Amino acid sequence: MGGSPSKFYWYLAGVVGQFLPWGINSVLFTWMVAVHLGEGGLRLGIAQMCIQLPGLVFILFGGLLADRIDRRKILIVFQCLAAVPVFMLILLIEISTLSYGMLLVFAVGVGSLNAFIQPARDSILNQVSGPNIQQAVTMAMGLSFFAQIIGFGLAGQADTTGPVPLLLVQGTVLLFGVLVALMLPSSTPKRPSLADAREKNRKSVFGDIWEGLSLIFHSPRMFPVMILMFSVGVFYMGAFSVLNPLAVRDIYGGAAFDIALSYICFMVGTIVTTIILVAIGGIRRQGLGLMMALVMGGVFLISTNLRLPFYGYLLCIGLWGMCGGVAISLGRAIIQESAPENYRARALSIYSLGTLGGGPVGAISMGYFASVIGPLSGFFVAAAGVFLTVVGVWTMTSLAKVDRL
């Protein structure tokens, strides 16, 4: 389906309205737990898990909802609701002292609402993009990373501004995303025939979700990607959200600005590869490219153990981000191209579930390894886990032969 250029630009503006606040939240939340409250690796892992775990619980329901009702309305309602916990945290900080328990409740609220926003935004992309889906996916992904970089930079000022001004920016931009969503086209699913409607009524919500899962499990193109994304969630997400900020704090003596700088370097790497992928029109050997990117990313992650100066550490994180940009783009493109229209939102939500499902496990386990062997040695564990998963997928599936459609 061809899309309107103007609608695609509004879609991209909505990406900024979602991911710039998420960038602020990523650094600010980590800073509040690890620096402002001075919590250790395991408690930081628990806090990060509280952001990720609601996505694991609700992401499939978010995908099902996006397959059933107008996705634009979902974006409007849930983006507006996403601003509520942000402004509530501001109020609580103003009337009391910031506490660890307060942040855990905030994390659960933010993670729950995002689980409904993301599938709706992902699935509406096909309606507003042109025929080159991989290029549209890559452009949207690159802009999401760029918006997060701006958010990281803003949150890097937390040492001087404190959390409240940054939370105000976060909540305001979320409300801007609501206004942008009003400009997107309606995307109400096609009205089913009478026979289909009767069959639909006989099915439960869980039956619809199982249909989406079954589609993924029986797809030689999509199922291997899900396995890899789960390993990315366990090992690489845990490394990024827990080991990286702890390494910056404990090894290099950094605070909010330095944590933000490490996040920025990762995202700059993803943007560089995104620009390259857009310029060359994508990669034909998608499956092979996905696996090679994950392996090379692990090599750069291990390189942080060379006890480099801080700028050398940041370079390794940036190169890891370049590999991550390739892997994320190719993984999403395979799912986006392979899923049928009436299952696309569910397939994309299951794809997100693949990463989110490993995220809570990764946050806790990487937090544990950071406490026992240190954050840099924990990078060895993260890379080894992904290496073993890639070897298994390479030898036991046909993903290496998957080309773009």
Side-chain angles (χ1 to χ4, degrees):
M1 180 191 303
S4 165
S6 63
K7 297 298 183 184
F8 183 60
Y9 295 145
W10 283 117
Y11 177 89
L12 294 179
V15 169
V16 175
Q18 177 185 351
F19 284 96
L20 192 152
W22 189 255
I24 294 174
N25 189 80
S26 298
V27 174
L28 183 60
F29 182 76
T30 302
W31 174 83
M32 287 189 290
V33 176
V35 179
H36 187 73
L37 297 181
E39 302 291 352
L42 187 57
R43 283 170 73 87
L44 176 59
I46 293 171
Q48 296 288 5
M49 182 191 70
C50 287
I51 290 183
Q52 298 163 7
L53 191 59
L56 176 62
V57 176
F58 295 120
I59 192 73
L60 293 183
F61 294 96
L64 178 60
L65 191 67
D67 274 337
R68 285 188 167 186
I69 68 174
D70 188 352
R71 294 153 187 168
R72 182 182 65 170
K73 290 181 180 178
I74 295 174
L75 290 177
I76 293 169
V77 171
F78 281 92
Q79 186 108 359
C80 188
L81 290 175
V84 174
V86 178
F87 289 115
M88 287 297 297
L89 184 59
I90 294 172
L91 179 61
L92 291 172
I93 291 174
E94 289 295 316
I95 63 177
S96 63
T97 304
L98 185 64
S99 68
Y100 182 71
M102 187 188 303
L103 289 177
L104 295 186
V105 174
F106 168 76
V108 170
V110 170
S112 299
L113 293 166
N114 194 61
F116 290 90
I117 295 171
Q118 195 59 49
R121 191 175 303 285
D122 286 343
S123 55
I124 208 172
L125 176 59
N126 290 68
Q127 186 176 353
V128 299
S129 68
N132 191 336
I133 296 175
Q134 184 184 154
Q135 189 175 46
V137 168
T138 304
M139 290 177 65
M141 186 189 73
L143 186 60
S144 73
F145 291 149
F146 182 74
Q148 287 182 78
I149 286 176
I150 297 174
F152 295 159
L154 291 172
Q157 307 304 311
D159 291 317
T160 55
T161 67
V164 171
L166 296 169
L167 288 169
L168 281 172
V169 175
Q170 182 179 343
T172 302
V173 178
L174 282 169
L175 295 179
F176 162 78
V178 176
L179 298 178
V180 170
L182 292 170
M183 306 303 296
L184 294 174
S186 176
S187 57
T188 306
K190 296 178 181 177
R191 184 180 298 275
S193 65
L194 182 60
D196 288 341
R198 288 173 178 168
E199 177 65 21
K200 196 75 169 179
N201 289 335
R202 284 196 293 267
K203 290 179 181 177
S204 67
V205 169
F206 292 99
D208 281 339
I209 291 175
W210 177 250
E211 279 189 352
L213 289 168
S214 180
L215 173 73
I216 296 285
F217 291 154
H218 291 91
S219 169
R221 291 176 59 91
M222 293 189 283
F223 184 59
V225 174
M226 293 295 300
I227 297 174
L228 291 176
M229 288 303 106
F230 182 79
S231 74
V232 167
V234 172
F235 299 108
Y236 282 174
M237 275 187 66
F240 181 76
S241 63
V242 178
L243 295 180
N244 171 56
L246 290 176
V248 173
R249 186 192 72 177
D250 298 342
I251 306 300
Y252 297 100
F257 177 79
D258 305 290
I259 293 173
L261 196 58
S262 70
Y263 281 24
I264 288 171
C265 287
F266 181 90
M267 288 302 179
V268 167
T270 62
I271 289 176
V272 169
T273 50
T274 299
I275 293 172
I276 294 172
L277 289 174
V278 171
I280 67 177
I283 294 176
R284 184 176 65 86
R285 299 291 301 274
Q286 292 175 328
L288 181 61
L290 170 59
M291 290 186 285
M292 292 301 296
L294 291 176
V295 170
M296 288 304 300
V299 171
F300 293 125
L301 200 57
I302 290 173
S303 300
T304 59
N305 280 268
L306 297 175
R307 293 287 176 170
L308 303 166
F310 189 51
Y311 66 82
Y313 174 84
L314 294 178
L315 177 61
C316 289
I317 295 297
L319 292 171
W320 179 38
M322 291 183 69
C323 297
V326 175
I328 295 171
S329 176
L330 294 179
R332 292 186 69 82
I334 291 172
I335 301 297
Q336 200 100 21
E337 291 179 355
S338 303
E341 166 65 26
N342 58 330
Y343 287 91
R344 186 167 293 124
R346 271 171 285 180
L348 289 168
S349 67
I350 294 168
Y351 168 82
S352 298
L353 178 66
T355 305
L356 293 171
V361 177
I364 291 291
S365 59
M366 292 302 111
Y368 170 77
F369 283 118
S371 301
V372 174
I373 61 177
L376 292 184
S377 297
F379 285 144
F380 268 113
V381 178
V386 172
F387 289 167
L388 291 174
T389 307
V390 169
V391 169
V393 169
W394 196 315
T395 56
M396 300 177 65
T397 75
S398 59
L399 182 63
K401 300 178 181 178
V402 169
D403 294 343
R404 62 189 285 184
L405 296 178

